[in-house]
Every structure is written in C-alpha cells, then in structure tokens.
Amino acid sequence: MAATLTKQDELPARSGLKPVSIGRDLRGIAELVEVCFAGRLDSQGRAAVREMKTLAQFFPLLWILSALETLLPGVGVGAGVGYVWRDEGRLIGNASLYRAGAHPVLGPGWLIANVAVAPDYRRRGVARTMMHATLDRARRFGGQWAALQVETNNLGAVYLYDSLGFQRYEQLTQWEAVSLRTGHRPQPVTNQWIIRRREPGEFKEAMDFVLNRARRGAMAWTLPLSRSDFSDFPLGARSTGRDRWVLIDPAAPNRFQAVLWVEAATWSRTKMTLFVDPEYQNTEAVCALLSYVLYSPSIRSRVVRLEVETISEAVSSMLRGSGFRLLRTLYQMRLAI
Ligand SMILES: CC(C)(COP(=O)(O)OP(=O)(O)OC[C@H]1O[C@@H](n2cnc3c(N)ncnc32)[C@H](O)[C@@H]1OP(=O)(O)O)[C@@H](O)C(=O)NCCC(=O)NCCS
C-alpha cells in the first residue's frame, strides 16, 4: 500500500512519530537498519544488528531495559532514546539518540545515529520530522550539542543535516591494514621531528590539542570524546594495550603537532586514531610518526584500523604503500542546541 503513495500524498492518519520503546521497537529498528544501510555496514555494524535482533527476543530483559531508559535516558542500550515512525504498525523510520556524556569543552551532549527511512517512504519529510523531535528531546534532557557522522558520498543525508544547521567539522578517513607490508622504522628524533610517548602530566596539553584544535567535531570512531580518553593512567602498551604518542617540532618544543592514540581492540587487532594540527604542514613528520608506531615490534603483525582527518596525498600514499585500504570517508557534524 505504502509504495503507491506519491510525494504529494498525505501520510496515512495512523502514521506517526513515537518515542522509541525498546521492548516494542528493537527488532523493527534492527530490520530497518539492515535494509537501509545494506552495503554500508561493516562487520561491526552487522554484529550490532545481530545483537539487537538477539536482544529483541528476550522480552523480560527488554522490559527491564525500557524501565531503565525511562529513569536514565540514554543508558546506551541498542536503540537509544530517539524516535521511530510507524505506519499501520510497520516501523518505517528511526533516529536513535545516545547520551554522549560531558565533553570537557562543550558540556553535555548527545549523539544521533541510525537515521533511516524505509525506501518506499522517502522524500516526504519523515527524516526531517524525526530529526526535529530527536533534537528537541536532546535539548529537554539538558544537551547543549548534538553530533553525528555521515559518509561524505551519502548526499541525501548530508543535505538533510546541512539543512538542519549541522556544521561540518573534520572530514575523517578510516583505513584498515590486514597485514602490514614490510616497512622502515624512522628515527624518533631528527632535526625535523621528535616522536615520543606522551608523558604523564601532559594530559591537559593533550586534551587542549585534541578538543580545541584537532577534533572539534567531538567524536572519534563514532564515539564521543571524553575526559577519560586523556587520563594519565593506564598508559603504556605493554601493560594495557593503550598508548599515546606525540609529534613535536623541535622549533616549537612546547606544542604538540600531532597525537596518535593506540588501543588494542582485540588480541589481534589494534585501533589507532591520529589527530593532526590543521595548520601543521610537515607531512613527512606525520608519516614518520605513523611509520614509527606501525612498525614497532608490538604492532607490525597485527590487523590495524586507523582513523585520521583527510590528509595530504603524501600521507594517503604512505598508508597505501604500507598495506592500508580506505574503508570510508566521513563528515564529522555538530550542532549547538
Ligand atoms: C537519508 C534518509 C534518512 C532521508 O530520509 P527522508 O525521509 O527521505 O528525508 P526527508 O524527506 O525528511 O528529507 C529532508 C531533506 O533531506 C534532503 N534529502 C533527503 N534525501 C535526499 C536525496 N535522496 N537527495 C537529495 N536530498 C535529499 C533534502 O534536502 C530533503 O528536503 P526536501 O525534500 O525538502 O528537498 C533516507 O534517504 C535513508 O534512510 N537513507 C538510507 C540510510 C542513510 O543513509 N541514513 C543516513 C545515515 S547518516
């Protein structure tokens, strides 16, 4: 029935916007996400959909989670606390809202994800209406900003967020190397760069660098940045798999030019996040930081995923030459609410 409606048609009266109820909606959201993001979901995304479907079978647990979400909105259960759109019982739209915690600079905020409308209901204002409701809800829960990530080639979604006033901050690229090619480990100290571990006690500088200069979009790897990302301890790959490297220009020894986060994601996988000062031009030094860490004995045999801002051709070709392939390019978008 719905497929016969045209853009001019009114949506049926029993269509409507409803706050997410996990018990009722989780399965429908998982199915909608699967249809709408077909081809864009990576293995993690597919695993998240599977988890939502599995969780949807446990009604008593869902009842408890629903109650918990009412008390503590955004506790992080699969569907968040956004809105769905139902038509005659069929779930045809979703916009999930998750609490982002308190960003050290921006204050409390929310993340929006899984914005999706069934193909036969598109271009009739469903997503726009869900987004307005979701932003209102975030505001009512005390949020001061909302952030999201969208693939740069997803033009319909980009126009939607542009039209709602979201600002584009960084353009991020995500890469993966299943097996690193043999490569050369540069000297950590030259007259052009100093590469060293971030020292305990430098967390304020690191926080200022990342939050105010290198990543104003407030997210990394689709998660919000928080104070705990900068805590001094535990640091040191050997004991915890969590490491922080910095790049310094010998001509400006008190300033970070780039910061590289390294985290062991599983026993064989490492996740890295590179933050570069947008004004820093020395791509050779940035490549040196990456190579120095990638070709360290503890990382060179691992599967590595890397997120970086869109960077110079020199850095991209260094990554390709090391065995990385580009997974996706994203806009990091944020709106003050
Ligand atoms: C993106 C998506 C959610 C939009 O849903 P929708 O209900 O069709 O969007 P709306 O009708 O509310 O459109 C609002 C505005 O967004 C923009 N827009 C939406 N789809 C567009 C398209 N295909 N091409 C160009 N602009 C588009 C337009 O500016 C539109 O306003 P207009 O119709 O007055 O011109 C839907 O296409 C979808 O589910 N896509 C697949 C999943 C996805 O990519 N989600 C976004 C992840 S970040």
Side-chain angles (χ1 to χ4, degrees):
M1 180 207 68
T4 62
L5 293 170
T6 66
K7 184 174 167 76
Q8 286 74 33
D9 290 326
E10 289 288 305
L11 284 156
R14 285 166 69 191
S15 276
L17 186 70
K18 300 186 188 314
V20 167
S21 155
I22 293 173
R24 187 192 58 203
D25 297 329
L26 196 58
R27 184 165 188 94
I29 294 173
E31 286 169 355
L32 183 73
V33 165
E34 210 168 25
V35 169
C36 291
F37 291 92
R40 288 191 194 267
L41 287 179
D42 61 8
S43 54
Q44 279 175 323
R46 285 193 296 274
V49 168
R50 272 199 305 278
E51 267 169 36
M52 282 164 91
K53 282 184 170 173
T54 309
L55 200 56
Q57 294 166 359
F58 295 103
F59 293 109
L61 177 63
L62 286 180
W63 187 86
I64 295 168
L65 292 175
S66 297
L68 197 63
E69 284 216 338
T70 314
L71 295 172
L72 301 165
V75 283
V77 185
V81 289
Y83 281 88
V84 293
W85 193 292
R86 281 194 172 269
D87 178 23
E88 307 273 342
R90 178 183 164 205
L91 193 150
I92 59 94
N94 177 70
S96 301
L97 182 65
Y98 301 94
R99 193 188 287 283
H103 184 279
V105 175
L106 302 170
W110 291 77
L111 304 185
I112 294 177
N114 295 336
V115 179
V117 172
D120 44 341
Y121 284 79
R122 288 186 189 160
R123 295 312 291 270
R124 281 184 263 159
V126 171
R128 187 187 293 287
T129 308
M130 290 190 308
M131 285 296 293
H132 279 301
T134 302
L135 290 167
D136 275 351
R137 196 163 214 210
R139 210 174 283 125
R140 283 202 308 279
F141 286 145
Q144 292 171 14
W145 53 274
L148 54 83
Q149 291 186 331
V150 55
E151 290 192 37
T152 53
N153 61 4
N154 190 349
L155 295 181
V158 172
Y159 295 150
L160 166 67
Y161 304 135
D162 279 345
S163 74
L164 290 165
F166 277 83
Q167 255 189 287
R168 298 180 197 180
Y169 286 87
E170 300 79 27
Q171 186 169 312
L172 305 176
T173 51
Q174 295 180 344
W175 303 77
E176 184 180 68
V178 175
S179 74
L180 282 174
R181 301 216 178 99
T182 313
H184 147 78
R185 198 171 189 214
Q187 289 299 321
V189 179
T190 70
N191 57 7
Q192 276 204 70
W193 62 72
I194 299 165
I195 296 166
R196 63 164 172 80
R197 282 203 161 89
R198 204 208 85 194
E199 285 168 9
E202 288 180 322
F203 78 95
K204 277 202 179 118
E205 291 86 328
M207 199 153 86
D208 174 58
F209 173 77
V210 171
L211 301 178
N212 292 322
R213 274 195 280 154
R215 191 63 64 89
R216 296 189 308 130
M219 290 166 82
W221 287 108
T222 69
L223 290 173
L225 293 168
S226 74
R227 193 170 283 274
S228 65
D229 290 317
F230 302 94
S231 68
D232 269 345
F233 298 102
L235 281 178
R238 230 164 291 146
S239 54
T240 62
R242 183 179 191 235
D243 225 353
R244 301 288 189 248
W245 293 87
V246 294
L247 174 70
I248 290 168
D249 184 336
N254 297 321
R255 188 182 165 97
F256 296 154
Q257 306 296 351
V259 166
L260 181 62
W261 291 359
V262 182
E263 337 250 343
T266 64
W267 64 273
S268 63
R269 289 176 174 268
T270 290
K271 194 170 79 176
M272 292 190 180
T273 319
L274 176 67
F275 304 92
V276 183
D277 187 326
E279 286 168 21
Y280 188 58
Q281 302 292 330
N282 189 342
T283 51
E284 203 188 331
V286 175
C287 289
L289 170 66
L290 279 168
S291 302
Y292 186 77
V293 177
L294 283 170
Y295 292 111
S296 64
S298 58
I299 292 185
R300 63 191 340 155
S301 57
R302 299 172 68 85
V303 175
V304 179
R305 279 201 171 194
L306 172 70
E307 183 183 86
V308 302
E309 284 139 67
T310 305
I311 24 145
S312 69
E313 193 41 49
V315 179
S316 305
S317 69
M318 175 253 147
L319 289 174
R320 289 203 167 85
S322 304
F324 279 88
R325 74 185 172 95
L326 182 63
L327 298 175
R328 62 180 71 84
T329 305
L330 301 157
Y331 286 127
Q332 172 78 69
M333 300 182 98
R334 180 159 64 73
L335 175 71
I337 56 177

